[in-house]
Amino acid sequence: METGYFQNPRRFPKNAEGPFYTTGHRSCGDDLMNGKTGWFGDCLACEAPELEAPELLAVLDNENSDTYFVRQPSTQDEIDEACSAASVCCVAALRYGGRDRTIISKLGNDPGLCDYIIDDRGNLVATLDEEGNLLPFAVRLIEIQRSEWRKRNKKWYQFWL
Ligand code: SF4
């Protein structure tokens, strides 16, 4: 696996070095009012990502409610597991910051999951600005991808989709 990857300032600090990571945020608003400070992971503790990649993500227990990578995938099976874990997170808090085109393709070339995607000419383009915010083109692309997914997968009774 390649070593260069995007250094997202929203990367949850507990993640092991490497391109797969989870996002988080510093304490703010309600956190501070409740006396909580420090970092908080964006993916909470439903265990869906952990079930997809149990060897790669921290165990959830009484001591830990944060989702983060304790190590990076090193085999193809583990890369598949990391991609599956990213795909099941409902808030897209597991991301891939690397430039491996095979992995980016496996993740659907989705700016919601990848810090770089492959454009129409085959070039890699960044999806985030230096503060970790999705760039406007990436937001638009996500909207289009979700709209197409809904059209493909909607049931006959889901007239509102
Ligand atoms: S996968 Fe979704 S529901 Fe589960 S903990 Fe992460 S954000 Fe919450």
Side-chain angles (χ1 to χ4, degrees), residues 149-161:
W149 185 90
R150 282 196 296 269
K151 276 185 206 150
R152 275 202 311 277
N153 294 285
K154 78 172 183 178
K155 305 285 187 251
W156 63 268
Y157 53 82
Q158 292 176 306
F159 56 85
W160 60 90
L161 294 179

Side-chain angles (χ1 to χ4, degrees), residues 97-148:
R99 296 177 171 87
D100 184 313
R101 290 160 193 264
T102 306
I103 296 175
I104 292 169
S105 298
K106 185 163 187 61
L107 288 167
N109 205 28
D110 180 355
L113 301 177
C114 302
D115 297 351
Y116 299 95
I117 60 168
I118 306 161
D119 72 10
D120 293 343
R121 296 179 177 173
N123 300 315
L124 286 178
V125 290
T127 59
L128 303 177
D129 65 19
E130 66 273 11
E131 293 176 354
N133 299 311
L134 282 165
L135 292 164
F137 91 90
V139 172
R140 180 76 191 121
L141 197 52
I142 290 170
E143 284 169 3
I144 292 169
Q145 288 176 342
R146 290 197 179 142
S147 161
E148 287 171 355

Side-chain angles (χ1 to χ4, degrees), residues 44-96:
L44 302 174
C46 84
E47 219 174 1
E50 284 78 5
L51 288 172
E52 299 296 321
E55 306 293 323
L56 304 177
L57 294 167
V59 173
L60 296 173
D61 56 22
N62 290 339
E63 307 293 315
N64 175 52
S65 58
D66 295 319
T67 294
Y68 61 94
F69 283 86
V70 290
R71 69 176 175 83
Q72 296 292 317
S74 58
T75 64
Q76 187 56 53
D77 282 351
E78 288 184 348
I79 290 171
D80 292 346
E81 287 180 12
C83 291
S84 296
S87 299
V88 299
C89 178
C90 55
V91 296
L94 284 76
R95 295 185 63 85
Y96 175 64

